[in-house]
PDB file of all heavy atoms in Angstrom:
ATOM      1  N   LEU A  31     -84.438   0.188  39.752  1.00  0.00           N
ATOM      2  CA  LEU A  31     -85.257  -0.069  40.937  1.00  0.00           C
ATOM      3  C   LEU A  31     -85.801   1.217  41.530  1.00  0.00           C
ATOM      4  O   LEU A  31     -86.916   1.246  42.046  1.00  0.00           O
ATOM      5  CB  LEU A  31     -84.442  -0.819  41.993  1.00  0.00           C
ATOM      6  CG  LEU A  31     -84.282  -2.319  41.773  1.00  0.00           C
ATOM      7  CD1 LEU A  31     -83.351  -2.905  42.831  1.00  0.00           C
ATOM      8  CD2 LEU A  31     -85.611  -3.031  41.805  1.00  0.00           C
ATOM      9  N   ASN A  32     -85.025   2.291  41.475  1.00  0.00           N
ATOM     10  CA  ASN A  32     -85.501   3.562  42.013  1.00  0.00           C
ATOM     11  C   ASN A  32     -86.719   4.076  41.272  1.00  0.00           C
ATOM     12  O   ASN A  32     -87.500   4.840  41.817  1.00  0.00           O
ATOM     13  CB  ASN A  32     -84.385   4.614  41.982  1.00  0.00           C
ATOM     14  CG  ASN A  32     -83.362   4.368  43.063  1.00  0.00           C
ATOM     15  OD1 ASN A  32     -83.668   3.835  44.109  1.00  0.00           O
ATOM     16  ND2 ASN A  32     -82.132   4.752  42.791  1.00  0.00           N
ATOM     17  N   ALA A  33     -86.899   3.650  40.041  1.00  0.00           N
ATOM     18  CA  ALA A  33     -88.030   4.100  39.246  1.00  0.00           C
ATOM     19  C   ALA A  33     -89.280   3.258  39.487  1.00  0.00           C
ATOM     20  O   ALA A  33     -90.363   3.624  39.039  1.00  0.00           O
ATOM     21  CB  ALA A  33     -87.670   4.064  37.755  1.00  0.00           C
ATOM     22  N   LEU A  34     -89.147   2.135  40.187  1.00  0.00           N
ATOM     23  CA  LEU A  34     -90.282   1.239  40.384  1.00  0.00           C
ATOM     24  C   LEU A  34     -91.120   1.633  41.595  1.00  0.00           C
ATOM     25  O   LEU A  34     -90.576   1.914  42.662  1.00  0.00           O
ATOM     26  CB  LEU A  34     -89.789  -0.200  40.606  1.00  0.00           C
ATOM     27  CG  LEU A  34     -89.112  -0.887  39.442  1.00  0.00           C
ATOM     28  CD1 LEU A  34     -88.586  -2.248  39.896  1.00  0.00           C
ATOM     29  CD2 LEU A  34     -90.078  -1.072  38.297  1.00  0.00           C
ATOM     30  N   PRO A  35     -92.453   1.600  41.454  1.00  0.00           N
ATOM     31  CA  PRO A  35     -93.293   1.750  42.644  1.00  0.00           C
ATOM     32  C   PRO A  35     -93.298   0.412  43.389  1.00  0.00           C
ATOM     33  O   PRO A  35     -93.506  -0.636  42.783  1.00  0.00           O
ATOM     34  CB  PRO A  35     -94.668   2.080  42.072  1.00  0.00           C
ATOM     35  CG  PRO A  35     -94.657   1.483  40.698  1.00  0.00           C
ATOM     36  CD  PRO A  35     -93.224   1.522  40.232  1.00  0.00           C
ATOM     37  N   LEU A  36     -93.016   0.429  44.668  1.00  0.00           N
ATOM     38  CA  LEU A  36     -92.936  -0.812  45.429  1.00  0.00           C
ATOM     39  C   LEU A  36     -94.227  -1.038  46.209  1.00  0.00           C
ATOM     40  O   LEU A  36     -94.702  -0.139  46.902  1.00  0.00           O
ATOM     41  CB  LEU A  36     -91.752  -0.762  46.385  1.00  0.00           C
ATOM     42  CG  LEU A  36     -90.395  -0.596  45.718  1.00  0.00           C
ATOM     43  CD1 LEU A  36     -89.312  -0.389  46.763  1.00  0.00           C
ATOM     44  CD2 LEU A  36     -90.084  -1.810  44.864  1.00  0.00           C
ATOM     45  N   PRO A  37     -94.796  -2.240  46.113  1.00  0.00           N
ATOM     46  CA  PRO A  37     -96.026  -2.514  46.856  1.00  0.00           C
ATOM     47  C   PRO A  37     -95.758  -2.556  48.357  1.00  0.00           C
ATOM     48  O   PRO A  37     -94.654  -2.902  48.797  1.00  0.00           O
ATOM     49  CB  PRO A  37     -96.454  -3.896  46.344  1.00  0.00           C
ATOM     50  CG  PRO A  37     -95.246  -4.489  45.740  1.00  0.00           C
ATOM     51  CD  PRO A  37     -94.355  -3.359  45.309  1.00  0.00           C
ATOM     52  N   GLU A  38     -96.755  -2.219  49.139  1.00  0.00           N
ATOM     53  CA  GLU A  38     -96.641  -2.179  50.599  1.00  0.00           C
ATOM     54  C   GLU A  38     -96.187  -3.528  51.161  1.00  0.00           C
ATOM     55  O   GLU A  38     -95.378  -3.582  52.076  1.00  0.00           O
ATOM     56  CB  GLU A  38     -97.969  -1.769  51.228  1.00  0.00           C
ATOM     57  CG  GLU A  38     -97.940  -1.629  52.726  1.00  0.00           C
ATOM     58  CD  GLU A  38     -97.012  -0.521  53.228  1.00  0.00           C
ATOM     59  OE1 GLU A  38     -96.862   0.487  52.526  1.00  0.00           O
ATOM     60  OE2 GLU A  38     -96.441  -0.683  54.316  1.00  0.00           O
ATOM     61  N   SER A  39     -96.689  -4.627  50.596  1.00  0.00           N
ATOM     62  CA  SER A  39     -96.314  -5.953  51.102  1.00  0.00           C
ATOM     63  C   SER A  39     -94.811  -6.201  50.938  1.00  0.00           C
ATOM     64  O   SER A  39     -94.200  -6.857  51.777  1.00  0.00           O
ATOM     65  CB  SER A  39     -97.110  -7.048  50.397  1.00  0.00           C
ATOM     66  OG  SER A  39     -96.869  -7.009  49.005  1.00  0.00           O
ATOM     67  N   PHE A  40     -94.207  -5.689  49.894  1.00  0.00           N
ATOM     68  CA  PHE A  40     -92.761  -5.835  49.679  1.00  0.00           C
ATOM     69  C   PHE A  40     -91.990  -5.126  50.778  1.00  0.00           C
ATOM     70  O   PHE A  40     -90.962  -5.618  51.243  1.00  0.00           O
ATOM     71  CB  PHE A  40     -92.374  -5.279  48.309  1.00  0.00           C
ATOM     72  CG  PHE A  40     -90.887  -5.280  48.064  1.00  0.00           C
ATOM     73  CD1 PHE A  40     -90.240  -6.430  47.658  1.00  0.00           C
ATOM     74  CD2 PHE A  40     -90.140  -4.127  48.252  1.00  0.00           C
ATOM     75  CE1 PHE A  40     -88.866  -6.438  47.440  1.00  0.00           C
ATOM     76  CE2 PHE A  40     -88.778  -4.120  48.034  1.00  0.00           C
ATOM     77  CZ  PHE A  40     -88.136  -5.284  47.631  1.00  0.00           C
ATOM     78  N   LEU A  41     -92.470  -3.987  51.201  1.00  0.00           N
ATOM     79  CA  LEU A  41     -91.753  -3.184  52.187  1.00  0.00           C
ATOM     80  C   LEU A  41     -91.752  -3.817  53.572  1.00  0.00           C
ATOM     81  O   LEU A  41     -91.012  -3.394  54.446  1.00  0.00           O
ATOM     82  CB  LEU A  41     -92.335  -1.779  52.228  1.00  0.00           C
ATOM     83  CG  LEU A  41     -92.225  -1.004  50.911  1.00  0.00           C
ATOM     84  CD1 LEU A  41     -92.942   0.334  51.022  1.00  0.00           C
ATOM     85  CD2 LEU A  41     -90.779  -0.815  50.508  1.00  0.00           C
ATOM     86  N   ARG A  42     -92.574  -4.854  53.782  1.00  0.00           N
ATOM     87  CA  ARG A  42     -92.615  -5.550  55.074  1.00  0.00           C
ATOM     88  C   ARG A  42     -91.687  -6.772  55.104  1.00  0.00           C
ATOM     89  O   ARG A  42     -91.586  -7.435  56.122  1.00  0.00           O
ATOM     90  CB  ARG A  42     -94.043  -5.974  55.389  1.00  0.00           C
ATOM     91  CG  ARG A  42     -94.953  -4.794  55.709  1.00  0.00           C
ATOM     92  CD  ARG A  42     -96.267  -5.250  56.291  1.00  0.00           C
ATOM     93  NE  ARG A  42     -97.007  -6.144  55.412  1.00  0.00           N
ATOM     94  CZ  ARG A  42     -97.957  -5.777  54.557  1.00  0.00           C
ATOM     95  NH1 ARG A  42     -98.291  -4.509  54.460  1.00  0.00           N
ATOM     96  NH2 ARG A  42     -98.578  -6.658  53.813  1.00  0.00           N
ATOM     97  N   VAL A  43     -91.027  -7.073  54.014  1.00  0.00           N
ATOM     98  CA  VAL A  43     -90.133  -8.236  53.950  1.00  0.00           C
ATOM     99  C   VAL A  43     -88.938  -8.000  54.870  1.00  0.00           C
ATOM    100  O   VAL A  43     -88.324  -6.937  54.844  1.00  0.00           O
ATOM    101  CB  VAL A  43     -89.652  -8.474  52.499  1.00  0.00           C
ATOM    102  CG1 VAL A  43     -88.569  -9.536  52.453  1.00  0.00           C
ATOM    103  CG2 VAL A  43     -90.823  -8.856  51.613  1.00  0.00           C
ATOM    104  N   THR A  44     -88.621  -9.005  55.703  1.00  0.00           N
ATOM    105  CA  THR A  44     -87.477  -8.890  56.600  1.00  0.00           C
ATOM    106  C   THR A  44     -86.435  -9.975  56.355  1.00  0.00           C
ATOM    107  O   THR A  44     -85.312  -9.862  56.832  1.00  0.00           O
ATOM    108  CB  THR A  44     -87.906  -8.950  58.073  1.00  0.00           C
ATOM    109  OG1 THR A  44     -88.573 -10.192  58.305  1.00  0.00           O
ATOM    110  CG2 THR A  44     -88.805  -7.783  58.424  1.00  0.00           C
ATOM    111  N   GLN A  45     -86.824 -11.040  55.635  1.00  0.00           N
ATOM    112  CA  GLN A  45     -85.883 -12.125  55.379  1.00  0.00           C
ATOM    113  C   GLN A  45     -85.963 -12.560  53.926  1.00  0.00           C
ATOM    114  O   GLN A  45     -87.053 -12.635  53.354  1.00  0.00           O
ATOM    115  CB  GLN A  45     -86.197 -13.344  56.250  1.00  0.00           C
ATOM    116  CG  GLN A  45     -85.997 -13.108  57.726  1.00  0.00           C
ATOM    117  CD  GLN A  45     -86.306 -14.358  58.509  1.00  0.00           C
ATOM    118  OE1 GLN A  45     -87.286 -15.023  58.273  1.00  0.00           O
ATOM    119  NE2 GLN A  45     -85.430 -14.683  59.456  1.00  0.00           N
ATOM    120  N   ILE A  46     -84.802 -12.845  53.370  1.00  0.00           N
ATOM    121  CA  ILE A  46     -84.702 -13.366  52.003  1.00  0.00           C
ATOM    122  C   ILE A  46     -83.805 -14.598  52.063  1.00  0.00           C
ATOM    123  O   ILE A  46     -82.750 -14.572  52.696  1.00  0.00           O
ATOM    124  CB  ILE A  46     -84.078 -12.337  51.031  1.00  0.00           C
ATOM    125  CG1 ILE A  46     -84.949 -11.098  50.895  1.00  0.00           C
ATOM    126  CG2 ILE A  46     -83.775 -12.962  49.672  1.00  0.00           C
ATOM    127  CD1 ILE A  46     -86.141 -11.235  50.010  1.00  0.00           C
ATOM    128  N   ALA A  47     -84.224 -15.651  51.393  1.00  0.00           N
ATOM    129  CA  ALA A  47     -83.424 -16.866  51.297  1.00  0.00           C
ATOM    130  C   ALA A  47     -82.832 -16.943  49.893  1.00  0.00           C
ATOM    131  O   ALA A  47     -83.547 -16.796  48.908  1.00  0.00           O
ATOM    132  CB  ALA A  47     -84.280 -18.099  51.568  1.00  0.00           C
ATOM    133  N   VAL A  48     -81.523 -17.183  49.826  1.00  0.00           N
ATOM    134  CA  VAL A  48     -80.822 -17.325  48.554  1.00  0.00           C
ATOM    135  C   VAL A  48     -80.404 -18.787  48.419  1.00  0.00           C
ATOM    136  O   VAL A  48     -79.854 -19.355  49.363  1.00  0.00           O
ATOM    137  CB  VAL A  48     -79.581 -16.404  48.500  1.00  0.00           C
ATOM    138  CG1 VAL A  48     -78.797 -16.603  47.216  1.00  0.00           C
ATOM    139  CG2 VAL A  48     -79.994 -14.949  48.659  1.00  0.00           C
ATOM    140  N   GLY A  49     -80.656 -19.384  47.287  1.00  0.00           N
ATOM    141  CA  GLY A  49     -80.332 -20.789  47.059  1.00  0.00           C
ATOM    142  C   GLY A  49     -78.881 -21.012  46.711  1.00  0.00           C
ATOM    143  O   GLY A  49     -78.568 -21.751  45.777  1.00  0.00           O
ATOM    144  N   SER A  50     -77.994 -20.395  47.455  1.00  0.00           N
ATOM    145  CA  SER A  50     -76.552 -20.513  47.244  1.00  0.00           C
ATOM    146  C   SER A  50     -75.851 -19.966  48.477  1.00  0.00           C
ATOM    147  O   SER A  50     -76.385 -19.080  49.149  1.00  0.00           O
ATOM    148  CB  SER A  50     -76.127 -19.698  46.017  1.00  0.00           C
ATOM    149  OG  SER A  50     -74.733 -19.653  45.895  1.00  0.00           O
ATOM    150  N   GLN A  51     -74.668 -20.475  48.745  1.00  0.00           N
ATOM    151  CA  GLN A  51     -73.851 -19.900  49.806  1.00  0.00           C
ATOM    152  C   GLN A  51     -72.698 -19.107  49.218  1.00  0.00           C
ATOM    153  O   GLN A  51     -71.765 -18.721  49.926  1.00  0.00           O
ATOM    154  CB  GLN A  51     -73.352 -21.000  50.746  1.00  0.00           C
ATOM    155  CG  GLN A  51     -74.477 -21.574  51.584  1.00  0.00           C
ATOM    156  CD  GLN A  51     -73.990 -22.536  52.637  1.00  0.00           C
ATOM    157  OE1 GLN A  51     -73.066 -23.307  52.406  1.00  0.00           O
ATOM    158  NE2 GLN A  51     -74.606 -22.484  53.801  1.00  0.00           N
ATOM    159  N   ASN A  52     -72.794 -18.781  47.950  1.00  0.00           N
ATOM    160  CA  ASN A  52     -71.790 -17.991  47.250  1.00  0.00           C
ATOM    161  C   ASN A  52     -71.887 -16.549  47.746  1.00  0.00           C
ATOM    162  O   ASN A  52     -72.901 -15.885  47.550  1.00  0.00           O
ATOM    163  CB  ASN A  52     -72.058 -18.092  45.747  1.00  0.00           C
ATOM    164  CG  ASN A  52     -71.071 -17.318  44.923  1.00  0.00           C
ATOM    165  OD1 ASN A  52     -70.974 -16.107  45.056  1.00  0.00           O
ATOM    166  ND2 ASN A  52     -70.380 -18.011  44.048  1.00  0.00           N
ATOM    167  N   ALA A  53     -70.827 -16.075  48.400  1.00  0.00           N
ATOM    168  CA  ALA A  53     -70.840 -14.743  49.014  1.00  0.00           C
ATOM    169  C   ALA A  53     -71.185 -13.614  48.038  1.00  0.00           C
ATOM    170  O   ALA A  53     -71.972 -12.732  48.388  1.00  0.00           O
ATOM    171  CB  ALA A  53     -69.512 -14.470  49.707  1.00  0.00           C
ATOM    172  N   PRO A  54     -70.628 -13.577  46.819  1.00  0.00           N
ATOM    173  CA  PRO A  54     -71.001 -12.497  45.899  1.00  0.00           C
ATOM    174  C   PRO A  54     -72.497 -12.505  45.532  1.00  0.00           C
ATOM    175  O   PRO A  54     -73.097 -11.449  45.355  1.00  0.00           O
ATOM    176  CB  PRO A  54     -70.131 -12.749  44.663  1.00  0.00           C
ATOM    177  CG  PRO A  54     -68.940 -13.466  45.191  1.00  0.00           C
ATOM    178  CD  PRO A  54     -69.481 -14.348  46.290  1.00  0.00           C
ATOM    179  N   LYS A  55     -73.093 -13.680  45.432  1.00  0.00           N
ATOM    180  CA  LYS A  55     -74.528 -13.746  45.126  1.00  0.00           C
ATOM    181  C   LYS A  55     -75.359 -13.205  46.285  1.00  0.00           C
ATOM    182  O   LYS A  55     -76.312 -12.441  46.083  1.00  0.00           O
ATOM    183  CB  LYS A  55     -74.947 -15.181  44.799  1.00  0.00           C
ATOM    184  CG  LYS A  55     -74.382 -15.675  43.491  1.00  0.00           C
ATOM    185  CD  LYS A  55     -74.797 -17.105  43.218  1.00  0.00           C
ATOM    186  CE  LYS A  55     -74.172 -17.606  41.913  1.00  0.00           C
ATOM    187  NZ  LYS A  55     -74.576 -18.981  41.615  1.00  0.00           N
ATOM    188  N   ILE A  56     -74.984 -13.573  47.492  1.00  0.00           N
ATOM    189  CA  ILE A  56     -75.705 -13.083  48.674  1.00  0.00           C
ATOM    190  C   ILE A  56     -75.525 -11.576  48.800  1.00  0.00           C
ATOM    191  O   ILE A  56     -76.480 -10.838  49.062  1.00  0.00           O
ATOM    192  CB  ILE A  56     -75.218 -13.821  49.934  1.00  0.00           C
ATOM    193  CG1 ILE A  56     -75.604 -15.308  49.828  1.00  0.00           C
ATOM    194  CG2 ILE A  56     -75.787 -13.195  51.200  1.00  0.00           C
ATOM    195  CD1 ILE A  56     -74.915 -16.194  50.850  1.00  0.00           C
ATOM    196  N   GLN A  57     -74.313 -11.096  48.586  1.00  0.00           N
ATOM    197  CA  GLN A  57     -74.042  -9.656  48.656  1.00  0.00           C
ATOM    198  C   GLN A  57     -74.827  -8.893  47.584  1.00  0.00           C
ATOM    199  O   GLN A  57     -75.303  -7.782  47.825  1.00  0.00           O
ATOM    200  CB  GLN A  57     -72.543  -9.377  48.529  1.00  0.00           C
ATOM    201  CG  GLN A  57     -72.173  -7.931  48.731  1.00  0.00           C
ATOM    202  CD  GLN A  57     -72.594  -7.404  50.097  1.00  0.00           C
ATOM    203  OE1 GLN A  57     -72.610  -8.126  51.091  1.00  0.00           O
ATOM    204  NE2 GLN A  57     -72.954  -6.145  50.161  1.00  0.00           N
ATOM    205  N   ALA A  58     -74.970  -9.475  46.406  1.00  0.00           N
ATOM    206  CA  ALA A  58     -75.738  -8.822  45.340  1.00  0.00           C
ATOM    207  C   ALA A  58     -77.191  -8.643  45.755  1.00  0.00           C
ATOM    208  O   ALA A  58     -77.801  -7.597  45.502  1.00  0.00           O
ATOM    209  CB  ALA A  58     -75.636  -9.630  44.048  1.00  0.00           C
ATOM    210  N   VAL A  59     -77.760  -9.651  46.416  1.00  0.00           N
ATOM    211  CA  VAL A  59     -79.144  -9.539  46.899  1.00  0.00           C
ATOM    212  C   VAL A  59     -79.236  -8.460  47.966  1.00  0.00           C
ATOM    213  O   VAL A  59     -80.141  -7.619  47.944  1.00  0.00           O
ATOM    214  CB  VAL A  59     -79.650 -10.900  47.426  1.00  0.00           C
ATOM    215  CG1 VAL A  59     -81.005 -10.752  48.101  1.00  0.00           C
ATOM    216  CG2 VAL A  59     -79.723 -11.916  46.294  1.00  0.00           C
TER     217      VAL A  59
END
Side-chain angles (χ1 to χ4, degrees):
L31 281 175
N32 285 331
L34 293 175
L36 299 173
E38 183 64 32
S39 60
F40 175 81
L41 298 175
R42 290 192 301 265
V43 171
T44 59
Q45 294 181 315
I46 296 282
V48 177
S50 172
Q51 289 187 322
N52 180 299
K55 291 179 182 181
I56 294 167
Q57 186 59 33
V59 172

